[in-house]
Amino acid sequence: MKCTPSHRLLLLLTILLLQACGKKAEGPNSLSKAEKNEGWELLFDGETTNGWHVYNKGKLASIWQVKDGELYSNPENMSLETGDLVSDRQFEDFELKFEWKMTKGGNSGVFINVLEREDIPTPWASGPEYQLLENSHQDYTNDVKRPGCLYGFDAQKNRIESLPFGQWNQSRIRQVDGKIEFYLNGVLTAEKDLTSAEWQASVAESNFKGFPEFGKRISGHIVLQDWAKGVAFRNIKVKVL
């Protein structure tokens, strides 16, 4: 049978269609081929809270919900269990990247190196915080409480604004041998060596001095903070280093 130009065109269209059907489009809460090759993993699958639980309460229905590919704390349904959301896994040397957005006046955070124990009532009693803050919040003018800060300790290393409410910010946390780096929208905002005498001295002079487990660890859980104003996350990805 002679292959006419129309046959060749039909064959080409068929091949392209089969390739398109076999290739999943990259969107929120997915890994690119490059990310997979680099060792990145999803900590949020875009559909469920699998891999997470409520601090000191385990896996139960809570105000943490998933809708339209977003993991969010719903402040309007207080009949459900409240609390911060904890990764089931613990991490030591790692890189974490995530996107977040706030309701107007929102305030939240991401804690690292958290020790989950019943006699420790809250994640911030053990884990340092990457501050999340919407730019109309009253704390936005406090240098050690601005978004991307190591909360309560240092001003932003390089000053940058977070995006207004309803817009997605991009954040990254990197920790190697207890040395941490925080980034907000591509800009380095904090650096600290959690194994240093300087760090321990700063903790001893801070509002956290009454919490004996605070800042002592260089491994632990990752925690998303529940807050009354509402916060949403997506594209939560981790790479073990």
Side-chain angles (χ1 to χ4, degrees), residues 9 112 161 210:
L9 178 60
I112 60 172
E161 309 298 321

Side-chain angles (χ1 to χ4, degrees), residues 95-234:
E95 190 164 346
L96 176 76
K97 56 185 180 181
F98 57 96
E99 296 181 11
W100 57 276
K101 67 178 180 180
M102 294 282 188
T103 55
K104 196 168 184 64
N107 181 2
S108 183
V110 174
F111 303 97
I112 60 172
N113 304 334
V114 169
L115 176 61
E116 186 177 23
R117 210 168 65 192
E118 291 203 3
D119 63 324
I120 303 175
T122 179
W124 56 256
S126 65
E129 179 182 358
Y130 180 116
Q131 167 76 328
L132 306 179
L133 198 69
E134 197 274 324
N135 58 21
S136 67
H137 192 281
Q138 62 183 10
D139 283 346
Y140 200 81
T141 57
N142 186 326
D143 282 346
V144 297
K145 295 183 179 181
R146 286 173 57 82
C149 281
L150 176 55
Y151 178 86
F153 289 93
D154 297 320
Q156 291 175 335
K157 189 174 182 66
N158 298 290
R159 195 171 179 87
I160 184 175
E161 309 298 321
S162 61
L163 299 177
F165 74 96
Q167 297 186 41
W168 290 104
N169 293 273
Q170 296 182 341
S171 292
R172 184 158 62 96
I173 298 172
R174 179 181 174 87
Q175 176 171 271
V176 178
D177 296 330
K179 299 175 179 64
I180 60 171
E181 298 174 353
F182 291 172
Y183 295 83
L184 173 62
N185 295 326
V187 175
L188 177 67
T189 51
E191 284 183 303
K192 190 67 69 177
D193 183 352
L194 302 182
T195 68
S196 68
E198 176 199 1
W199 166 245
Q200 293 304 327
S202 64
V203 171
E205 297 174 358
S206 74
N207 292 333
F208 298 94
K209 61 187 176 183
F211 300 93
E213 298 293 347
F214 180 83
K216 297 291 179 62
R217 295 162 57 85
I218 58 170
S219 67
H221 298 278
I222 293 168
V223 178
L224 311 180
Q225 188 180 35
D226 168 31
W227 200 256
K229 287 285 187 179
V231 59
F233 297 89
R234 71 179 185 184

Side-chain angles (χ1 to χ4, degrees), residues 1-14:
M1 177 180 176
K2 185 178 180 180
C3 186
T4 66
S6 60
H7 287 143
R8 287 196 292 270
L9 178 60
L10 180 60
L11 178 61
L12 177 60
L13 291 174
T14 301

